[in-house]
Amino acid sequence: MVSPGHLDLHEALERGEVVPYFQPIVELRTGKLSGFEVLSRWKHPVLGMIPPDRFIPLAESTGLIGQLTDSILRQAFAAVATLPSPLSLSVNISPIQFRDDELPRYIEQAISSGGFDCERLILEVTESALLDNMLQARKISMGLKELGIRLALDDFGTGYSSLRHLQALPFDELKVDGSFVRSMDHTRESRKIAAAVVGLGHSLGLTTVAEGIETRAQAEMLLWLGCDLGQGWLYSRAVPAEELDAMVSQERLLPVEDAPSGSVLGLMLGPESPESPRLEALPAQRLAQLQAIYDGAPVGLCFIDTNMRYMSINKLLAEMNGASITEHIGQRVGDLFPELFKTIGPYIRIALQGQPVTGLEVRYPKSAPDGGLRTLLLSYEPALDEADEVVGVSVSVVDITERKQAEEALRASEDHYRRMVELNPHIPWTASADFTEIEVSPKWEKLTGMTQAEMSDHGWLSVVHPDDVQRAQEVVGESIRTGQPLDVELRVRRADGAWIWMRSRGTPLRDEAGTVLRWYGSMEDVEDREDHALIDRILLLEQRIAELESTQDGVSRFQT
Ligand code: C2E
Ligand code: MG
Ligand code: MG
């Protein structure tokens, strides 16, 4: 393989073959452009595009790094002269140059040649650059800071004594190394490290930037870890100067549907700046746990601040509301859902006064094309700070439309069932295993005048014809003993005092072991059956004979 040598590089710099490329850095939450990082490329006439990893070390070892940086900076500043404010420019500075006390002055000269603001310049340094001489590194850093230039610690996490550097030098920005970002997809450990790094950056008040974001999943994860900015192929590769304008004119670097829908807990807004939400500096681990709970919850959840703006919302609720998470954040409930707000607004106000509202049922039209009504069960819980001041309302929402429909269907089917029972000539009953407790259809009371309560404890026997009581008891007793179905015919006294023949049949419900749990049965009027008509006639005849006999007795008594 042909490799570029010292002479080549020297000539290349003279010929302007080493050029700056620009990789966009975006706001993770919105996908909006925040600035560019300058990355050098060597357009070699024979070898093609040579990456910086192959010629920066060469430049450093051959003393050409100063000339290279100078050339890159001047080209870069010329290219970004029209870059609208406040877009920033990040430039990599070689470790060797960071040992040069002249660096601040030299940067100042380069920047003024291009007419760029010092305040919008960020110098990126890797950790190894700082190792040898901390005192000197500190002095140079201070010199740069005095010019208003910001400092970023690049490739954070890959070197050693990172923490010492972070503490000792006045960094503004921390760049999480791409190797963590890429491995985040695979292992929990990497996620933990990424979370810890982002959390550390936050707790030191630094802006955190994640490098090497290639997938949406990585972007989402970083967003909910609370990372502010990101760069990577997901958004764009480094582009030549000619493409800068086109990139700047894009509102977002990702189509909205590809932007990290993200999430929620990481999106808490600072109270003072609704437009540029500042990510909450909560310990990242706790945030991640909360996030998982928040997103995994089977209920819709959100948090509303005292101005009734959505501070956070979980995926489920965003879906229920038919808008993305980002479309909710920072928006007022009343602006997003004016109709619904007419109903729920007063309750949110009650909660904001410190009074919880639970179990509120609200019906409102679905946003879906089917258009039906949906029923939501809402709860508003005031959230209090240490001083017991209400800082917002925690909202939970359960869509109970289906449950409601099921309840209604059940009620309707109960209705049907009741009607069926009422129209049916049979009188259903159910009894405990020993027949001491009996429940019977209300038709029984209509028929006999005997109430439900009077039935139990063998009370039902009191409406059975005295001649049939013994048989009834025997049949029931036999079934209780054997568990066999029962079938008995007996006369029952109607409310009007007349006796009618009824047939009662029942079968047992058993558990797995065969033990009888309950009896289920029904009674039917069998008065019309021919044999009963016959029996009735015989009974009538018997009665006549008895009457006759008694008259005959009278006659004979009379005769005597
Ligand atoms: P760096 O400053 O950490 O730059 C980020 C590197 O990650 C760049 O590599 C960039 O092209 C690459 N990158 C960006 N997005 C992705 C992604 O989604 N996936 C992957 N796999 N990589 C991504 P590049 O351009 O090859 O630069 C390598 C390093 O060379 C830079 O690392 C920087 O330390 C150094 N470098 C580049 N230009 C200059 C320069 O002008 N001066 C100095 N001193 N160093 C430079
Ligand atoms: Mg860099
Ligand atoms: Mg880096």
Side-chain angles (χ1 to χ4, degrees), residues 42-80:
W42 179 356
K43 290 181 164 172
H44 195 282
V46 181
L47 301 175
M49 194 73 94
I50 301 175
D53 289 341
R54 288 190 46 211
F55 63 87
I56 297 288
L58 181 70
E60 284 171 347
S61 64
T62 55
L64 287 171
I65 189 69
Q67 193 186 339
L68 185 147
T69 310
D70 195 51
S71 160
I72 288 293
L73 284 182
R74 283 171 199 276
Q75 291 181 69
F77 287 136
V80 298

mmCIF file of all heavy atoms in Angstrom, residues 42-80:
data_model
loop_
_atom_site.group_PDB
_atom_site.id
_atom_site.type_symbol
_atom_site.label_atom_id
_atom_site.label_comp_id
_atom_site.label_asym_id
_atom_site.label_seq_id
_atom_site.Cartn_x
_atom_site.Cartn_y
_atom_site.Cartn_z
ATOM 1 N N TRP A 42 -7.764 14.891 3.164
ATOM 2 C CA TRP A 42 -6.696 15.096 2.181
ATOM 3 C C TRP A 42 -7.165 14.484 0.873
ATOM 4 O O TRP A 42 -7.285 13.266 0.746
ATOM 5 C CB TRP A 42 -5.404 14.434 2.685
ATOM 6 C CG TRP A 42 -4.234 14.571 1.738
ATOM 7 C CD1 TRP A 42 -4.202 15.131 0.495
ATOM 8 C CD2 TRP A 42 -2.897 14.118 1.991
ATOM 9 N NE1 TRP A 42 -2.962 15.081 -0.046
ATOM 10 C CE2 TRP A 42 -2.117 14.456 0.853
ATOM 11 C CE3 TRP A 42 -2.271 13.492 3.072
ATOM 12 C CZ2 TRP A 42 -0.770 14.141 0.757
ATOM 13 C CZ3 TRP A 42 -0.932 13.187 2.967
ATOM 14 C CH2 TRP A 42 -0.184 13.515 1.837
ATOM 15 N N LYS A 43 -7.411 15.352 -0.099
ATOM 16 C CA LYS A 43 -7.823 14.870 -1.422
ATOM 17 C C LYS A 43 -6.557 14.585 -2.233
ATOM 18 O O LYS A 43 -6.075 15.454 -2.970
ATOM 19 C CB LYS A 43 -8.676 15.931 -2.126
ATOM 20 C CG LYS A 43 -10.037 16.115 -1.500
ATOM 21 C CD LYS A 43 -10.796 17.166 -2.291
ATOM 22 C CE LYS A 43 -12.271 17.133 -1.986
ATOM 23 N NZ LYS A 43 -12.953 18.274 -2.618
ATOM 24 N N HIS A 44 -6.039 13.385 -2.092
ATOM 25 C CA HIS A 44 -4.774 13.007 -2.737
ATOM 26 C C HIS A 44 -5.038 12.683 -4.208
ATOM 27 O O HIS A 44 -5.969 11.932 -4.525
ATOM 28 C CB HIS A 44 -4.194 11.789 -2.024
ATOM 29 C CG HIS A 44 -2.762 11.535 -2.344
ATOM 30 N ND1 HIS A 44 -2.362 10.941 -3.514
ATOM 31 C CD2 HIS A 44 -1.614 11.815 -1.649
ATOM 32 C CE1 HIS A 44 -1.037 10.842 -3.525
ATOM 33 N NE2 HIS A 44 -0.558 11.369 -2.392
ATOM 34 N N PRO A 45 -4.231 13.264 -5.117
ATOM 35 C CA PRO A 45 -4.504 13.068 -6.553
ATOM 36 C C PRO A 45 -4.400 11.598 -6.985
ATOM 37 O O PRO A 45 -5.055 11.190 -7.942
ATOM 38 C CB PRO A 45 -3.430 13.921 -7.242
ATOM 39 C CG PRO A 45 -2.420 14.243 -6.201
ATOM 40 C CD PRO A 45 -3.089 14.152 -4.867
ATOM 41 N N VAL A 46 -3.606 10.818 -6.270
ATOM 42 C CA VAL A 46 -3.435 9.414 -6.653
ATOM 43 C C VAL A 46 -4.161 8.467 -5.703
ATOM 44 O O VAL A 46 -4.883 7.557 -6.111
ATOM 45 C CB VAL A 46 -1.928 9.029 -6.684
ATOM 46 C CG1 VAL A 46 -1.753 7.575 -7.112
ATOM 47 C CG2 VAL A 46 -1.169 9.970 -7.600
ATOM 48 N N LEU A 47 -3.992 8.748 -4.395
ATOM 49 C CA LEU A 47 -4.536 7.807 -3.400
ATOM 50 C C LEU A 47 -6.013 8.067 -3.095
ATOM 51 O O LEU A 47 -6.639 7.322 -2.362
ATOM 52 C CB LEU A 47 -3.716 7.896 -2.101
ATOM 53 C CG LEU A 47 -2.226 7.593 -2.260
ATOM 54 C CD1 LEU A 47 -1.494 7.821 -0.945
ATOM 55 C CD2 LEU A 47 -2.011 6.151 -2.743
ATOM 56 N N GLY A 48 -6.541 9.162 -3.621
ATOM 57 C CA GLY A 48 -7.937 9.479 -3.320
ATOM 58 C C GLY A 48 -8.053 10.159 -1.974
ATOM 59 O O GLY A 48 -7.101 10.775 -1.491
ATOM 60 N N MET A 49 -9.221 10.010 -1.357
ATOM 61 C CA MET A 49 -9.474 10.710 -0.090
ATOM 62 C C MET A 49 -8.742 10.000 1.063
ATOM 63 O O MET A 49 -8.975 8.822 1.304
ATOM 64 C CB MET A 49 -10.982 10.687 0.163
ATOM 65 C CG MET A 49 -11.413 11.641 1.225
ATOM 66 S SD MET A 49 -11.336 13.336 0.646
ATOM 67 C CE MET A 49 -13.013 13.556 0.102
ATOM 68 N N ILE A 50 -7.899 10.737 1.735
ATOM 69 C CA ILE A 50 -7.155 10.138 2.857
ATOM 70 C C ILE A 50 -7.750 10.672 4.166
ATOM 71 O O ILE A 50 -7.913 11.891 4.331
ATOM 72 C CB ILE A 50 -5.653 10.483 2.781
ATOM 73 C CG1 ILE A 50 -5.083 9.967 1.439
ATOM 74 C CG2 ILE A 50 -4.887 9.881 3.955
ATOM 75 C CD1 ILE A 50 -3.635 10.357 1.213
ATOM 76 N N PRO A 51 -8.110 9.773 5.078
ATOM 77 C CA PRO A 51 -8.730 10.213 6.342
ATOM 78 C C PRO A 51 -7.694 10.805 7.304
ATOM 79 O O PRO A 51 -6.508 10.476 7.217
ATOM 80 C CB PRO A 51 -9.322 8.921 6.909
ATOM 81 C CG PRO A 51 -8.505 7.828 6.331
ATOM 82 C CD PRO A 51 -8.021 8.308 4.990
ATOM 83 N N PRO A 52 -8.150 11.653 8.206
ATOM 84 C CA PRO A 52 -7.217 12.365 9.095
ATOM 85 C C PRO A 52 -6.375 11.440 9.980
ATOM 86 O O PRO A 52 -5.248 11.780 10.305
ATOM 87 C CB PRO A 52 -8.127 13.248 9.955
ATOM 88 C CG PRO A 52 -9.502 12.727 9.756
ATOM 89 C CD PRO A 52 -9.537 12.060 8.434
ATOM 90 N N ASP A 53 -6.935 10.291 10.324
ATOM 91 C CA ASP A 53 -6.176 9.351 11.167
ATOM 92 C C ASP A 53 -4.827 9.011 10.529
ATOM 93 O O ASP A 53 -3.890 8.636 11.223
ATOM 94 C CB ASP A 53 -6.960 8.046 11.353
ATOM 95 C CG ASP A 53 -8.164 8.247 12.254
ATOM 96 O OD1 ASP A 53 -8.151 9.257 12.984
ATOM 97 O OD2 ASP A 53 -9.095 7.419 12.214
ATOM 98 N N ARG A 54 -4.774 9.131 9.187
ATOM 99 C CA ARG A 54 -3.540 8.724 8.510
ATOM 100 C C ARG A 54 -2.581 9.879 8.270
ATOM 101 O O ARG A 54 -1.393 9.658 8.060
ATOM 102 C CB ARG A 54 -3.869 8.000 7.207
ATOM 103 C CG ARG A 54 -4.426 6.628 7.507
ATOM 104 C CD ARG A 54 -4.556 5.735 6.295
ATOM 105 N NE ARG A 54 -3.394 5.707 5.427
ATOM 106 C CZ ARG A 54 -3.475 5.518 4.114
ATOM 107 N NH1 ARG A 54 -4.651 5.356 3.549
ATOM 108 N NH2 ARG A 54 -2.380 5.481 3.382
ATOM 109 N N PHE A 55 -3.067 11.105 8.260
ATOM 110 C CA PHE A 55 -2.100 12.188 7.995
ATOM 111 C C PHE A 55 -1.905 13.152 9.179
ATOM 112 O O PHE A 55 -0.899 13.846 9.238
ATOM 113 C CB PHE A 55 -2.443 12.959 6.710
ATOM 114 C CG PHE A 55 -3.760 13.688 6.724
ATOM 115 C CD1 PHE A 55 -3.843 14.975 7.235
ATOM 116 C CD2 PHE A 55 -4.899 13.090 6.213
ATOM 117 C CE1 PHE A 55 -5.058 15.656 7.236
ATOM 118 C CE2 PHE A 55 -6.108 13.768 6.215
ATOM 119 C CZ PHE A 55 -6.194 15.053 6.727
ATOM 120 N N ILE A 56 -2.839 13.168 10.146
ATOM 121 C CA ILE A 56 -2.624 14.055 11.312
ATOM 122 C C ILE A 56 -1.392 13.600 12.113
ATOM 123 O O ILE A 56 -0.516 14.421 12.419
ATOM 124 C CB ILE A 56 -3.893 14.134 12.199
ATOM 125 C CG1 ILE A 56 -5.058 14.760 11.424
ATOM 126 C CG2 ILE A 56 -3.630 14.883 13.501
ATOM 127 C CD1 ILE A 56 -4.962 16.247 11.165
ATOM 128 N N PRO A 57 -1.288 12.292 12.410
ATOM 129 C CA PRO A 57 -0.083 11.859 13.132
ATOM 130 C C PRO A 57 1.190 12.187 12.352
ATOM 131 O O PRO A 57 2.210 12.572 12.939
ATOM 132 C CB PRO A 57 -0.260 10.338 13.260
ATOM 133 C CG PRO A 57 -1.743 10.119 13.137
ATOM 134 C CD PRO A 57 -2.217 11.176 12.192
ATOM 135 N N LEU A 58 1.090 12.071 11.024
ATOM 136 C CA LEU A 58 2.235 12.390 10.174
ATOM 137 C C LEU A 58 2.597 13.867 10.304
ATOM 138 O O LEU A 58 3.764 14.235 10.465
ATOM 139 C CB LEU A 58 1.881 12.038 8.716
ATOM 140 C CG LEU A 58 2.945 12.270 7.665
ATOM 141 C CD1 LEU A 58 4.086 11.268 7.829
ATOM 142 C CD2 LEU A 58 2.326 12.118 6.261
ATOM 143 N N ALA A 59 1.553 14.693 10.277
ATOM 144 C CA ALA A 59 1.782 16.139 10.408
ATOM 145 C C ALA A 59 2.396 16.468 11.767
ATOM 146 O O ALA A 59 3.287 17.320 11.870
ATOM 147 C CB ALA A 59 0.461 16.885 10.237
ATOM 148 N N GLU A 60 1.920 15.747 12.777
ATOM 149 C CA GLU A 60 2.443 16.008 14.126
ATOM 150 C C GLU A 60 3.923 15.608 14.224
ATOM 151 O O GLU A 60 4.740 16.335 14.791
ATOM 152 C CB GLU A 60 1.624 15.209 15.163
ATOM 153 C CG GLU A 60 0.262 15.835 15.417
ATOM 154 C CD GLU A 60 -0.642 14.947 16.269
ATOM 155 O OE1 GLU A 60 -0.311 13.754 16.453
ATOM 156 O OE2 GLU A 60 -1.671 15.467 16.730
ATOM 157 N N SER A 61 4.222 14.448 13.645
ATOM 158 C CA SER A 61 5.592 13.935 13.799
ATOM 159 C C SER A 61 6.585 14.678 12.895
ATOM 160 O O SER A 61 7.779 14.637 13.129
ATOM 161 C CB SER A 61 5.629 12.437 13.522
ATOM 162 O OG SER A 61 5.272 12.207 12.164
ATOM 163 N N THR A 62 6.101 15.361 11.870
ATOM 164 C CA THR A 62 7.020 16.037 10.954
ATOM 165 C C THR A 62 7.019 17.554 11.117
ATOM 166 O O THR A 62 7.587 18.271 10.294
ATOM 167 C CB THR A 62 6.645 15.707 9.492
ATOM 168 O OG1 THR A 62 5.271 16.058 9.301
ATOM 169 C CG2 THR A 62 6.842 14.243 9.169
ATOM 170 N N GLY A 63 6.325 17.986 12.169
ATOM 171 C CA GLY A 63 6.333 19.433 12.437
ATOM 172 C C GLY A 63 5.461 20.227 11.481
ATOM 173 O O GLY A 63 5.573 21.455 11.399
ATOM 174 N N LEU A 64 4.602 19.548 10.745
ATOM 175 C CA LEU A 64 3.737 20.270 9.800
ATOM 176 C C LEU A 64 2.371 20.612 10.402
ATOM 177 O O LEU A 64 1.547 21.247 9.752
ATOM 178 C CB LEU A 64 3.517 19.411 8.544
ATOM 179 C CG LEU A 64 4.708 19.292 7.594
ATOM 180 C CD1 LEU A 64 4.434 18.248 6.519
ATOM 181 C CD2 LEU A 64 4.990 20.650 6.936
ATOM 182 N N ILE A 65 2.149 20.194 11.650
ATOM 183 C CA ILE A 65 0.804 20.331 12.217
ATOM 184 C C ILE A 65 0.378 21.788 12.331
ATOM 185 O O ILE A 65 -0.787 22.132 12.093
ATOM 186 C CB ILE A 65 0.673 19.582 13.573
ATOM 187 C CG1 ILE A 65 -0.786 19.546 14.051
ATOM 188 C CG2 ILE A 65 1.558 20.190 14.662
ATOM 189 C CD1 ILE A 65 -1.681 18.694 13.232
ATOM 190 N N GLY A 66 1.337 22.652 12.674
ATOM 191 C CA GLY A 66 1.007 24.077 12.784
ATOM 192 C C GLY A 66 0.511 24.618 11.448
ATOM 193 O O GLY A 66 -0.537 25.273 11.369
ATOM 194 N N GLN A 67 1.257 24.303 10.413
ATOM 195 C CA GLN A 67 0.906 24.765 9.059
ATOM 196 C C GLN A 67 -0.447 24.186 8.639
ATOM 197 O O GLN A 67 -1.284 24.871 8.056
ATOM 198 C CB GLN A 67 1.996 24.304 8.088
ATOM 199 C CG GLN A 67 1.904 24.971 6.738
ATOM 200 C CD GLN A 67 2.907 24.373 5.743
ATOM 201 O OE1 GLN A 67 3.908 23.758 6.131
ATOM 202 N NE2 GLN A 67 2.642 24.568 4.453
ATOM 203 N N LEU A 68 -0.656 22.899 8.993
ATOM 204 C CA LEU A 68 -1.913 22.232 8.618
ATOM 205 C C LEU A 68 -3.104 22.905 9.311
ATOM 206 O O LEU A 68 -4.091 23.276 8.668
ATOM 207 C CB LEU A 68 -1.847 20.742 8.985
ATOM 208 C CG LEU A 68 -3.035 19.878 8.545
ATOM 209 C CD1 LEU A 68 -2.553 18.466 8.214
ATOM 210 C CD2 LEU A 68 -4.139 19.781 9.584
ATOM 211 N N THR A 69 -2.957 23.082 10.616
ATOM 212 C CA THR A 69 -4.060 23.683 11.377
ATOM 213 C C THR A 69 -4.361 25.076 10.836
ATOM 214 O O THR A 69 -5.519 25.456 10.655
ATOM 215 C CB THR A 69 -3.716 23.757 12.881
ATOM 216 O OG1 THR A 69 -3.263 22.480 13.292
ATOM 217 C CG2 THR A 69 -4.921 24.145 13.706
ATOM 218 N N ASP A 70 -3.279 25.823 10.579
ATOM 219 C CA ASP A 70 -3.445 27.176 10.061
ATOM 220 C C ASP A 70 -4.238 27.164 8.754
ATOM 221 O O ASP A 70 -5.216 27.902 8.584
ATOM 222 C CB ASP A 70 -2.047 27.769 9.833
ATOM 223 C CG ASP A 70 -2.130 29.258 9.641
ATOM 224 O OD1 ASP A 70 -2.762 29.908 10.504
ATOM 225 O OD2 ASP A 70 -1.606 29.761 8.625
ATOM 226 N N SER A 71 -3.824 26.266 7.866
ATOM 227 C CA SER A 71 -4.491 26.172 6.562
ATOM 228 C C SER A 71 -5.961 25.786 6.736
ATOM 229 O O SER A 71 -6.862 26.377 6.126
ATOM 230 C CB SER A 71 -3.752 25.137 5.708
ATOM 231 O OG SER A 71 -4.579 24.680 4.667
ATOM 232 N N ILE A 72 -6.210 24.775 7.584
ATOM 233 C CA ILE A 72 -7.593 24.295 7.797
ATOM 234 C C ILE A 72 -8.455 25.398 8.414
ATOM 235 O O ILE A 72 -9.569 25.660 7.972
ATOM 236 C CB ILE A 72 -7.598 23.036 8.688
ATOM 237 C CG1 ILE A 72 -7.052 21.832 7.913
ATOM 238 C CG2 ILE A 72 -8.986 22.725 9.242
ATOM 239 C CD1 ILE A 72 -7.928 21.367 6.757
ATOM 240 N N LEU A 73 -7.904 26.057 9.442
ATOM 241 C CA LEU A 73 -8.680 27.103 10.122
ATOM 242 C C LEU A 73 -9.046 28.224 9.162
ATOM 243 O O LEU A 73 -10.190 28.664 9.120
ATOM 244 C CB LEU A 73 -7.893 27.671 11.310
ATOM 245 C CG LEU A 73 -7.833 26.818 12.576
ATOM 246 C CD1 LEU A 73 -7.054 27.538 13.673
ATOM 247 C CD2 LEU A 73 -9.237 26.501 13.075
ATOM 248 N N ARG A 74 -8.081 28.662 8.364
ATOM 249 C CA ARG A 74 -8.349 29.780 7.445
ATOM 250 C C ARG A 74 -9.403 29.386 6.399
ATOM 251 O O ARG A 74 -10.322 30.156 6.114
ATOM 252 C CB ARG A 74 -7.063 30.282 6.794
ATOM 253 C CG ARG A 74 -6.267 31.129 7.769
ATOM 254 C CD ARG A 74 -4.879 31.497 7.299
ATOM 255 N NE ARG A 74 -4.067 31.904 8.453
ATOM 256 C CZ ARG A 74 -4.068 33.148 8.968
ATOM 257 N NH1 ARG A 74 -4.811 34.081 8.399
ATOM 258 N NH2 ARG A 74 -3.340 33.432 10.024
ATOM 259 N N GLN A 75 -9.245 28.177 5.867
ATOM 260 C CA GLN A 75 -10.250 27.719 4.897
ATOM 261 C C GLN A 75 -11.630 27.598 5.545
ATOM 262 O O GLN A 75 -12.653 27.964 4.964
ATOM 263 C CB GLN A 75 -9.863 26.348 4.330
ATOM 264 C CG GLN A 75 -8.634 26.345 3.432
ATOM 265 C CD GLN A 75 -8.369 24.932 2.914
ATOM 266 O OE1 GLN A 75 -9.111 24.405 2.115
ATOM 267 N NE2 GLN A 75 -7.292 24.336 3.420
ATOM 268 N N ALA A 76 -11.617 27.057 6.773
ATOM 269 C CA ALA A 76 -12.893 26.837 7.467
ATOM 270 C C ALA A 76 -13.580 28.164 7.768
ATOM 271 O O ALA A 76 -14.770 28.336 7.488
ATOM 272 C CB ALA A 76 -12.670 26.048 8.744
ATOM 273 N N PHE A 77 -12.815 29.106 8.301
ATOM 274 C CA PHE A 77 -13.431 30.398 8.650
ATOM 275 C C PHE A 77 -13.956 31.099 7.403
ATOM 276 O O PHE A 77 -14.993 31.741 7.430
ATOM 277 C CB PHE A 77 -12.436 31.291 9.383
ATOM 278 C CG PHE A 77 -12.168 30.839 10.791
ATOM 279 C CD1 PHE A 77 -10.876 30.812 11.310
ATOM 280 C CD2 PHE A 77 -13.220 30.428 11.609
ATOM 281 C CE1 PHE A 77 -10.627 30.400 12.615
ATOM 282 C CE2 PHE A 77 -12.981 30.008 12.908
ATOM 283 C CZ PHE A 77 -11.683 29.980 13.409
ATOM 284 N N ALA A 78 -13.218 30.955 6.299
ATOM 285 C CA ALA A 78 -13.697 31.566 5.044
ATOM 286 C C ALA A 78 -15.016 30.933 4.624
ATOM 287 O O ALA A 78 -15.939 31.620 4.175
ATOM 288 C CB ALA A 78 -12.645 31.398 3.954
ATOM 289 N N ALA A 79 -15.096 29.605 4.813
ATOM 290 C CA ALA A 79 -16.310 28.891 4.375
ATOM 291 C C ALA A 79 -17.523 29.220 5.233
ATOM 292 O O ALA A 79 -18.659 29.188 4.753
ATOM 293 C CB ALA A 79 -16.059 27.385 4.383
ATOM 294 N N VAL A 80 -17.269 29.516 6.522
ATOM 295 C CA VAL A 80 -18.422 29.730 7.406
ATOM 296 C C VAL A 80 -18.695 31.219 7.627
ATOM 297 O O VAL A 80 -19.470 31.581 8.513
ATOM 298 C CB VAL A 80 -18.235 29.026 8.771
ATOM 299 C CG1 VAL A 80 -18.113 27.534 8.592
ATOM 300 C CG2 VAL A 80 -17.022 29.597 9.526
#
